[in-house]
Amino acid sequence: MPAEITLDQLSLDPHQIWHRLRAEGPVVWVDAVNGWVIVDRATAVAAMRDDVTFTVDDPRFSTGQVVGPSMLSTDGAAHDHHRAPFADAFTTSALEDTITWCGEAASRLVASIADDGEAELRTAIGAPLAVSTIVRTLGLSGVDDAEVLGWYRAIVAEVEAIIYGGLDKEKSLAANEALVAAVRRTIEANPAGFLAGAAEHLTTTEVASNVAVIMFGAIETSEAATANALWHLLTHTDQLAMVLENPTLTPAAVEESLRLEPAASAVDRYATTDTELAGVAIAKGDFVQVSLAAANRDLSAFAEPDAYRIDRPNNRLSTTFAYGPHACLGIHLARAETIAAVTAVLRDLVDLRLDHGRSKGPQGLVFRKAAAVTATWRVD
Ligand code: HEM
């Protein structure tokens, strides 16, 4: 691994680096991440499906240290124990009302900025829609969006503190206690609700850990998905024109954006045994990062992989929502929410244009999102 590659470079623009490393092989050692990185699609999918050899259940896994055991930090029977009680609530049929609500919520958010003629769309639309959607879906009793956002920020800060140092234990303990209390209140107040259903199989603490993981999985990623889709459309005006002409292309435009910049650009695994992956010897305990961003631009799977093409026939083969036992629980919600946001923006803001000087594209080491999507539109 060439020493000149740094985490800063990977955060700013990893794609050309992954292309270069993919030429060396599907699995490469990267000093900067202190582990192996999988950069082709087939090997990425195989590793994510093999939770016996490549596990999430390792004491180094930062989210597990913060929220305790949950579906995200366990494998095998323990994983089934944590995930199964929540699975039914996130199917397309169970989400029907939520999806309708998402469309209405997105329209209300757009209406609230329509007279301004300009806005930064990630913070005006993507972020508030992400928080209110998950608060509504979880149905937490006596809790508002701001409080949930506070817990979410405390969890993120603690995860970052484990990685980079500077932990404020008191703050995160308070957030954890408030979350457990809200979960307990919700179970008591709504015995027919889905958290009470989960509590028939899990302890209150286990329900709270999984609720934290659901919030953790939902908020940043959904905000990023909306910001990135609007960024890609506004920077590819030929593709934007096609969607404006035919709004039924919106889901395809969103899917292609999810492929090009997966909001969670990598997932982390640990080798449980000495093994071989795509001809590379991996030792027990080695850190193995599956780069979803790299897999999604693998030339052997996607023609012209760096191009944003909404007519791409196979963008649903992207690895953006992962594969295997940890495949995203919220995949249908995430897609529906992003489509709702993009639909409302394109439908209700006329003559929409990107203000290039006040906008900045996707960046970030793990969570990649457009930093600013500042747009202007006509106000009659
Ligand atoms: C565009 C938005 C989203 C993206 C790109 C995304 C991506 C992912 C990825 C890559 C994983 C796999 C993690 C791993 O293998 O270690 C995952 C898992 C997960 N996601 Fe999402 N996600 C999104 C939205 C959501 C939403 C809205 C929810 C709300 C329910 C959610 C809940 C979860 C949960 C609970 C897991 C853990 C599943 C398990 O470990 O069994 N995600 N997501």
Side-chain angles (χ1 to χ4, degrees), residues 3-247:
E4 74 272 14
I5 294 175
T6 64
L7 291 182
D8 280 348
Q9 286 171 325
L10 287 174
S11 171
L12 272 178
D13 182 8
H15 304 299
Q16 297 317 311
I17 297 174
W18 297 142
H19 282 320
R20 185 151 52 83
L21 293 185
R22 202 179 299 105
E24 290 174 20
V27 183
V28 288
W29 178 265
V30 177
D31 279 344
V33 301
N34 196 21
W36 299 101
V37 180
I38 301 176
V39 289
D40 85 332
R41 183 184 178 281
T43 314
V45 171
M48 285 188 279
R49 285 186 167 145
D50 182 2
D51 62 333
V52 173
T53 314
F54 301 106
T55 186
V56 294
D57 193 352
D58 186 281
R60 286 168 282 178
F61 185 44
S62 49
T63 312
Q65 292 178 49
V66 174
V67 302
S70 73
M71 66 180 103
L72 192 63
S73 63
T74 50
D75 272 311
H79 175 257
D80 293 346
H81 167 75
H82 284 283
R83 179 161 168 144
F86 296 93
D88 286 351
F90 290 97
T91 59
T92 35
S93 51
L95 287 168
E96 232 169 76
D97 282 354
T98 305
I99 290 171
T100 306
W101 178 89
C102 266
E104 293 160 1
S107 299
R108 281 194 297 275
L109 282 168
V110 173
S112 74
I113 57 167
D115 289 342
D116 300 343
E118 63 167 54
E120 196 290 291
L121 297 173
R122 177 176 65 77
T123 46
I125 309 292
L129 187 62
V131 179
S132 59
T133 300
I134 203 62
V135 170
R136 184 183 187 280
T137 310
L138 290 169
L140 288 169
S141 210
V143 165
D144 62 17
D145 291 12
E147 198 173 353
V148 170
L149 198 54
W151 300 337
Y152 169 75
R153 292 209 172 110
I155 296 171
V156 172
E158 195 173 344
V159 169
E160 282 174 353
I162 285 174
I163 300 168
Y164 305 112
L167 186 62
D168 183 346
K169 198 74 200 163
E170 249 168 58
K171 243 191 203 162
S172 61
L173 264 181
N176 261 338
E177 278 166 19
L179 173 58
V180 175
V183 165
R184 184 166 293 121
R185 255 195 334 265
T186 306
I187 292 168
E188 283 163 9
N190 187 2
F194 100 96
L195 290 192
E200 286 172 19
H201 307 276
L202 302 171
T203 65
T204 306
T205 311
E206 287 175 332
V207 176
S209 298
N210 286 291
V211 165
V213 158
I214 290 171
M215 275 166 23
F216 194 73
I219 293 180
E220 177 115 4
T221 50
S222 303
E223 171 187 335
T226 292
N228 293 349
L230 291 170
W231 167 268
H232 284 125
L233 280 166
L234 292 173
T235 52
H236 296 79
T237 46
D238 56 332
Q239 306 293 301
L240 174 64
M242 285 160 68
V243 180
L244 289 173
E245 171 85 10
N246 179 2

Side-chain angles (χ1 to χ4, degrees), residues 252-307:
V254 165
E255 203 63 33
E256 174 68 344
S257 173
L258 286 166
R259 180 194 67 84
L260 210 52
E261 285 291 1
S265 73
V267 300
D268 295 350
R269 300 291 187 262
Y270 303 87
T272 56
T273 181
D274 289 349
T275 188
E276 200 184 284
L277 184 62
V280 172
I282 293 180
K284 178 177 177 172
D286 277 0
F287 174 55
V288 179
Q289 187 169 74
V290 184
S291 173
L292 308 182
N296 285 359
R297 295 192 187 210
D298 179 349
L299 183 59
S300 68
F302 303 102
E304 290 182 67
D306 296 327

